[in-house]
Amino acid sequence: MTHWPTTTATAEPTATPPAKPTDNSATIAALRTAHRLQGRRLATICAALVVGMLALFSASVLLGGVGRIDTADVLPAAFGMRTGLADYVIFQNRVPRALAAMLSGALFGLSGVLYQRLVRNPLATPDIVGISAGAGAGATTVLLFAPTLPYGAPLAAIAGSFLVVGLVHLLSWRGGIDTYRLVLVGIGLSGVCTAYTNYLFTVADQHSIAVALRWLVGSVNDVTWDGVGTLAAALVGCVLCAALLSRPLYAMDLGDGLATGLGARVSWARVAALLLGAAAAALATSVVGPIGFVSLISGPLAVRLVGADRSLGLAPLVGAVIVLAADVLARNAPLISPVPTGALTALIGAPYFVWLILRRRQKAVT
């Protein structure tokens, strides 16, 4: 008998069908829609701020009366196309004052949001950590003892602010920047600068003291076209530098390690942002004085309006509106006017600063 070999039937492995690629079209469409909505929101908010700024500018020029100036001469006088009383009141006094309020507010707002983004703390602003006090001490030295020195006040203000920046970060560095230590060191150095400024008053003549005291409160009164030119040049330069730093700053929000992996030069960007914020605050302070708490308020307001990613571009506009509105109220509000612009911003900003500290302390406890 022939035995045929038996074969054992083996089940062939069942081929697993390839997984279908995930359809991301819905997610991409949602992201595009959200991006468009954010863009529209940003455009709407910017347009509203610009309209409000123009309205406040007009109020700054017109409120308080135009005396014997013919109404038909007001608009031409604002562009320097009239002579006599119209030119003196409108073109030589009110227009420079309104422009100085806008430009200085934009510089303070830019300076504040740079420091807040860099340190990741809303308390770390130039007027809180002593940079404005350092700029004020430098500019006061020139105003009291060398008032005729060309560009003396702006240069001295920048030198004073850079000195305080170096000291603050040197004394607060412990393998990294501790934000609360930075704020405390800045407040201490601010007190040192204030003491130095008070000492200068004891050895200066009475006329220089009166000029410096009015300037130290923070006011856009008596700003000339030369001061407006200084502020305009400073704002253009600082905005261009901030635009160059925007990409590294956005990358640093993800952490220094990831930012370095994405190609950002973290150390260079940090030093550049520190110096840029100090220069912006110093140049504004050299012209209008240390108008307090504008840099503290502008950044958080911009974040609430458009989010943290777009706050760097919006904060200067918010700061311009704040200072211009404060100046209009300081000159025309019932019961309190006239007062220096810095006194009104301090009246609003100081309670906000206390509330911010208490809020952060409560979060730390919970």
Side-chain angles (χ1 to χ4, degrees):
M1 178 179 291
T2 304
H3 296 278
W4 297 96
T6 59
T7 58
T8 304
T10 58
E12 296 183 358
T14 305
T16 304
K20 294 182 178 180
T22 305
D23 186 8
N24 293 325
S25 58
T27 304
I28 294 174
L31 291 175
R32 288 177 177 173
T33 302
H35 183 73
R36 283 197 299 268
L37 290 176
Q38 289 178 353
R40 291 175 184 173
R41 178 181 176 85
L42 177 63
T44 302
I45 291 173
C46 287
L49 289 174
V50 169
V51 170
M53 187 169 59
L54 292 176
L56 289 169
F57 185 90
S58 301
S60 179
V61 173
L62 297 176
L63 288 180
V66 292
R68 293 170 293 174
I69 302 174
D70 191 354
T71 305
D73 291 334
V74 173
L75 185 59
F79 292 93
M81 300 171 59
R82 289 293 186 270
T83 58
L85 183 62
D87 176 75
Y88 176 76
V89 173
I90 303 296
F91 189 72
Q92 300 298 334
N93 287 277
R94 295 189 180 178
V95 172
R97 177 171 185 156
L99 289 175
M102 288 194 304
L103 295 171
S104 63
L107 284 168
F108 283 126
L110 177 62
S111 177
V113 76
L114 277 172
Y115 272 74
Q116 289 167 340
R117 289 289 299 273
L118 191 65
V119 185
R120 300 184 184 94
N121 191 322
L123 297 176
T125 58
D127 47 356
I128 302 301
V129 300
I131 296 172
S132 295
T140 302
T141 303
V142 173
L143 289 174
L144 291 178
F145 300 105
T148 60
L149 185 66
Y151 301 104
L155 293 176
I158 292 175
S161 66
F162 281 8
L163 177 61
V164 172
V165 166
L167 290 174
V168 166
H169 288 83
L170 178 65
L171 296 175
S172 61
W173 184 269
R174 290 293 183 274
I177 295 178
D178 182 84
T179 55
Y180 282 101
R181 185 181 181 88
L182 182 142
V183 171
L184 292 176
V185 169
I187 292 174
L189 289 178
S190 179
V192 172
C193 293
T194 302
Y196 167 76
T197 304
N198 291 335
Y199 167 74
L200 294 181
F201 289 149
T202 64
V203 296
D205 61 88
Q206 294 298 320
H207 175 71
S208 299
I209 290 175
V211 174
L213 280 175
R214 185 170 62 252
W215 175 86
L216 277 174
V217 176
S219 175
V220 295
N221 192 25
D222 297 331
V223 175
T224 64
W225 281 105
D226 290 338
V228 172
T230 300
L231 291 173
L235 181 61
V236 171
C238 290
V239 167
L240 291 176
C241 293
L244 295 176
L245 288 172
S246 60
R247 189 179 297 273
L249 287 176
Y250 290 143
M252 288 166 62
D253 287 341
L254 304 174
D256 290 355
L258 186 55
T260 303
L262 293 174
R265 300 172 62 183
V266 174
S267 299
W268 175 86
R270 178 173 287 111
V271 172
L274 290 174
L275 296 179
L276 178 61
L283 289 167
T285 301
S286 68
V287 177
V288 300
I291 298 180
F293 297 102
V294 178
S295 57
L296 177 70
I297 300 173
S298 301
L301 282 179
V303 171
R304 286 183 176 274
L305 289 173
V306 296
D309 292 341
R310 301 170 186 262
S311 61
L312 185 62
L314 191 69
L317 190 57
V318 174
V321 172
I322 289 174
V323 177
L324 190 55
D327 183 55
V328 171
L329 291 175
R331 287 193 295 128
N332 301 283
L335 302 179
I336 63 172
S337 63
V339 294
T341 308
L344 192 59
T345 58
L347 184 65
I348 299 172
Y352 173 77
F353 176 59
V354 174
W355 172 81
L356 194 61
I357 291 178
L358 294 177
R359 181 186 178 191
R360 293 184 67 83
R361 181 180 178 184
Q362 185 178 10
K363 285 185 177 180
V365 171
T366 57

